[in-house]
Amino acid sequence: MPASNLVDRHGRRIDYLRVSVTDRCDLRCRYCMSEHMTFLPRDQLMGRSEISAIVERFIARGVRKVRITGGEPLVRRDILELLRDLGAHVGMGLEELTLTTNGTQLARYAAGLRSAGVKRINVSLDTCDPDIFRQITRRGDLDKVLQGLAAAKESGLAVKINMVVLKGLNDAEVPEMLRWCGVQGFDLSLIETMPLGAVDEDRVDRFVPLTAILERLSAAFDLVRDAHRTSGPARYWRSPWGTRLGLISPLTANFCDGCNRVRLTTEGKLYMCLGHEDAVDLRQALRQDGVQGLDAAIDYALANKPARHQFQIQRGSAPAVARHMSVTGG
Ligand code: SAM
Ligand code: SF4
């Protein structure tokens, strides 16, 4: 297997690619989107063959993990075909193909995901209370997600729950979510709300530093620090049920020094950092100059990967970056 030649100018090896396959979504989570979002015209989304060509080039150059995300990836009609294309590389250069989903369509897709080569998924679920769920997602039906989670378990998919902690909405529920996830056998990652894209409220009002949550959880549960580290921004603990608790706190702890990832949008633009506006158009490079052009564009992108994000949450200030998380993928 060829060694990765994807190293940025800060000496960080890039072996993780996140791919947003659509900016559309069937939910409108308050911290992620505004109520009335304008989505890209469908003809601007990359086709399945273009996505596969770009991802395959990254795999050939040393990417070992690919996460499919969005928007909501399961609202894309050819999602299973795309996953099957990419799943063919698992064990042949690619070590892991995984997906982040809101779970609303998981009951229909879980078995297909598993047979396409996906073994683990992240499911975003900020609450187990149906009313709060509707309030946060502005339209979601919690039952559908719970049915999806049951189907995921049945299909043998390992599940991690992503929970964005929001003051006055679900912060009081974190201990119960940890317990519920433990009983279900799901890992849980808690996430600080990040200043990406305009939403209809000031994120300052909802921001909870995860340090405060950790104090509360440590008082209620016997949590053991877990040495497990990825190159991502999470720190980990073991819960009394043996499941893993992760804290993703980009605002109160910075782990950019070990960053190993880049993000491809559904329009074919490569973002080198979630917290910066700079992007390189890989689709155009591929269309104009084929694989050589694509390689040159990837090299240029890596040479320009910023050292770190500059996220801050301040009352009344514009989001750190104008685009929403649904464009770059979580
Ligand atoms: N629709 C899928 C889902 O919700 O899992 C995938 C895309 S979503 C953008 C990926 C992750 O980003 C989710 O876990 C979501 O909670 C998180 N997210 C979205 N906007 C965020 C924000 N402003 N701050 C922190 N996390 C955010
Ligand atoms: Fe949709 Fe995911 Fe954003 Fe919620 S967090 S609106 S499910 S893209």
Side-chain angles (χ1 to χ4, degrees):
M1 198 179 294
S4 168
N5 57 11
L6 299 173
V7 178
D8 79 358
R9 70 188 154 120
H10 306 287
R12 296 173 297 192
R13 191 168 292 281
I14 307 304
D15 57 9
Y16 184 7
L17 176 67
R18 291 195 176 191
V19 186
S20 173
V21 295
T22 175
D23 64 330
R24 287 163 195 269
C25 188
D26 52 345
L27 301 181
R28 296 286 184 279
C29 303
R30 329 180 66 89
Y31 53 81
C32 176
M33 294 188 178
S34 69
E35 172 121 47
H36 305 286
M37 286 289 286
T38 309
F39 295 111
L40 289 167
R42 270 182 219 283
D43 61 2
Q44 279 183 32
L45 269 54
M46 278 196 292
R48 174 182 150 206
S49 59
E50 261 174 337
I51 298 178
S52 296
I54 294 177
V55 176
E56 281 163 8
R57 194 62 203 146
F58 271 102
I59 296 170
R61 293 195 54 180
V63 156
R64 298 287 166 257
K65 179 170 169 178
V66 172
R67 176 176 299 280
I68 300 300
T69 175
E72 174 46 42
L74 297 185
V75 303
R76 189 175 162 123
R77 280 196 206 113
D78 58 359
I79 187 68
L80 273 189
E81 288 89 342
L82 175 63
L83 286 166
R84 280 189 215 116
D85 291 350
L86 302 179
H89 296 271
V90 176
M92 315 272 290
L94 184 64
E95 284 167 15
E96 185 169 40
L97 175 65
T98 176
L99 175 98
T100 302
T101 172
N102 63 25
T104 59
Q105 324 244 359
L106 204 46
R108 184 148 66 96
Y109 280 113
L113 295 179
R114 189 69 192 82
S115 60
V118 175
K119 296 196 181 95
R120 298 191 304 143
I121 56 172
N122 286 5
V123 179
S124 302
L125 180 62
D126 302 315
T127 172
C128 273
D129 179 307
D131 296 328
I132 301 177
F133 185 78
R134 183 160 287 272
Q135 213 183 329
I136 293 178
T137 61
R138 295 197 181 99
R139 58 188 64 184
D141 175 359
L142 177 65
D143 261 351
K144 281 198 184 149
V145 181
L146 296 180
Q147 284 163 21
L149 285 168
K153 256 177 146 178
E154 207 166 299
S155 306
L157 289 165
V159 172
K160 179 162 84 178
I161 300 291
N162 281 354
M163 175 183 186
V164 177
V165 182
L166 302 160
K167 194 192 289 175
L169 277 175
N170 65 354
D171 53 341
E173 225 186 308
V174 176
E176 176 51 23
M177 281 292 279
L178 180 62
R179 195 199 60 78
W180 180 79
C181 286
V183 171
Q184 298 291 324
F186 301 152
D187 291 340
L188 172 67
S189 278
L190 304 176
I191 306 176
E192 285 175 353
T193 182
M194 293 176 232
L196 296 168
V199 290
D200 303 321
E201 53 191 28
D202 196 329
R203 286 196 177 87
V204 174
D205 297 326
R206 296 287 179 210
F207 179 71
V208 185
L210 291 183
T211 37
I213 297 286
L214 181 62
E215 272 176 34
R216 241 188 279 164
L217 290 177
S218 303
F221 302 105
D222 191 11
L223 298 178
V224 180
R225 189 68 201 255
D226 187 330
H228 177 75
R229 284 259 19 187
T230 62
S231 302
R235 291 168 294 151
Y236 295 96
W237 283 261
R238 276 280 159 201
S239 82
W241 297 271
T243 50
R244 200 172 266 151
L245 167 70
L247 261 55
I248 303 178
S249 36
L251 280 298
T252 52
N254 186 290
F255 290 94
C256 298
D257 287 350
C259 184
N260 67 339
R261 61 201 60 189
V262 287
R263 294 172 162 91
L264 181 65
T265 72
T266 190
E267 287 183 290
K269 296 197 175 111
L270 190 75
Y271 281 88
M272 290 74 82
C273 174
L274 196 55
H276 285 259
E277 304 281 9
D278 309 343
V280 174
D281 194 337
L282 298 190
R283 169 165 63 178
Q284 198 195 340
L286 179 67
R287 282 182 182 175
Q288 258 176 15
D289 298 311
V291 172
Q292 265 188 339
L294 179 58
D295 272 344
I298 293 173
D299 290 339
Y300 175 83
L302 288 195
N304 288 285
K305 183 168 161 61
R308 51 175 296 158
H309 70 69
Q310 308 288 350
F311 288 148
Q312 279 180 344
I313 292 234
Q314 277 168 353
R315 185 168 300 283
S317 64
V321 293
R323 67 182 188 281
H324 293 85
M325 185 78 112
S326 50
V327 174
T328 344

